[in-house]
Amino acid sequence: MTARGAAGRCPPTTWLKPLLLLVCLLASGSITEEVSERCSHMIGNGHLQLLQELIDSQMETSCQIAYEFVDQEQLKDPVCYLKKAFLLVQDIMEDTMRFKDNTRNAIVIVKLQELSLRLKSCFTKDYDEQDKACVRTFYETPLQLLEKIKNVFNETKNLLKKDWNVFSKNCNNSFAKCSSQGHERQQEGPSDPQLRGFTFHLLVPSITLLLLAVGGLLFYRWRRRSHREPQTADSPMEKPEGSPLTQDEDRQVELPV
């Protein structure tokens, strides 16, 4: 077989490359549109209602829990704040927000965790998840923590509706600006909430004992003073010898009956 015949039998490939390119463009466009639609409507009002149910079911208490979260005073960019807060919310739901199995609150947490996993595709990763920049330890009540988490989901929902690709922003520069400040502020806070509680429980009895001791001393001095005053009042007043009263009494004794 001649080279010409062989070449004539080969399938033409000049038209395949543009066709493949067109197919790839159409596929990528449909994928992009699908991701855009999914991210824009992934967080619904029903998810926010679930969070509100968690808030309403909490008991009002002054007891505080310790958790790590974004310091909004350092990280003022709203997009970068939510990018950082998103991963921290996942950790909080996994480690801090624990409820009894098969209860309503436990089921709500599972649904929110599933939502967070789906939302990952809407966020670009531009920093180490373990990085503590712009993060500090908060000491707040469970109610305050849940309200903060609901605010994160609500703000994320609003931004995704405006621009599904908003969280592709590179925030490395913003994180770098507050990296040192975040570490310093974290060290300024109490190191351990259990240590704070131990100090409180040790300080209160000490102050109580001190007040009892001072009160006992004051009571003792008052009782001692009150005992002295009646004795002074009851003791007869000494009469001087040779006084007119004494002479009259002697004179009366000497008179015959």
Side-chain angles (χ1 to χ4, degrees), residues 77-244:
D77 188 301
V79 175
C80 295
Y81 170 80
L82 290 175
K83 286 189 72 173
K84 193 82 168 182
F86 174 73
L87 291 174
L88 294 174
V89 166
Q90 290 182 317
D91 296 336
I92 290 172
M93 289 191 296
E94 181 70 25
D95 303 328
T96 306
M97 297 171 56
R98 296 181 180 178
F99 298 94
K100 187 177 180 181
D101 294 340
N102 300 323
T103 60
R104 173 63 179 171
N105 287 350
I107 294 173
V108 169
I109 291 297
V110 171
K111 291 182 179 180
L112 293 175
Q113 288 176 329
E114 293 173 351
L115 172 63
S116 298
L117 291 176
R118 295 195 300 269
L119 278 170
K120 268 193 171 182
S121 61
C122 306
F123 289 79
T124 58
K125 180 182 176 182
D126 51 7
Y127 65 98
D128 187 3
E129 294 183 7
Q130 302 300 324
D131 188 10
K132 301 301 181 182
C134 311
V135 176
R136 71 179 180 92
T137 303
F138 287 81
Y139 298 90
E140 295 180 339
T141 64
L143 188 63
Q144 292 172 319
L145 170 59
L146 287 172
E147 289 175 345
K148 186 173 293 185
I149 291 177
K150 181 186 176 183
N151 182 64
V152 169
F153 275 96
N154 189 39
E155 293 299 324
T156 302
K157 171 178 174 289
N158 294 335
L159 288 181
L160 285 175
K161 277 193 172 182
K162 293 178 181 179
D163 181 9
W164 70 271
N165 201 32
V166 64
F167 293 111
S168 63
K169 179 179 180 178
N170 191 322
C171 295
N172 282 327
N173 292 334
S174 298
F175 298 146
K177 289 179 181 178
C178 62
S179 58
S180 59
Q181 298 177 5
H183 287 295
E184 291 175 359
R185 295 196 60 173
Q186 185 176 3
Q187 293 175 1
E188 290 176 1
S191 58
D192 190 353
Q194 294 182 355
L195 181 60
R196 293 195 310 164
F198 175 77
T199 304
F200 175 78
H201 290 299
L202 183 63
L203 186 61
V204 170
S206 301
I207 295 176
T208 304
L209 290 175
L210 179 61
L211 292 176
L212 288 174
V214 173
L217 180 60
L218 294 175
F219 179 74
Y220 171 76
R221 294 183 64 181
W222 175 80
R223 286 293 302 271
R224 187 176 179 184
R225 185 180 301 171
S226 62
H227 279 298
R228 285 182 178 177
E229 291 178 355
Q231 290 177 3
T232 305
D234 295 340
S235 60
M237 183 173 59
E238 296 181 359
K239 301 176 182 179
E241 295 182 0
S243 63

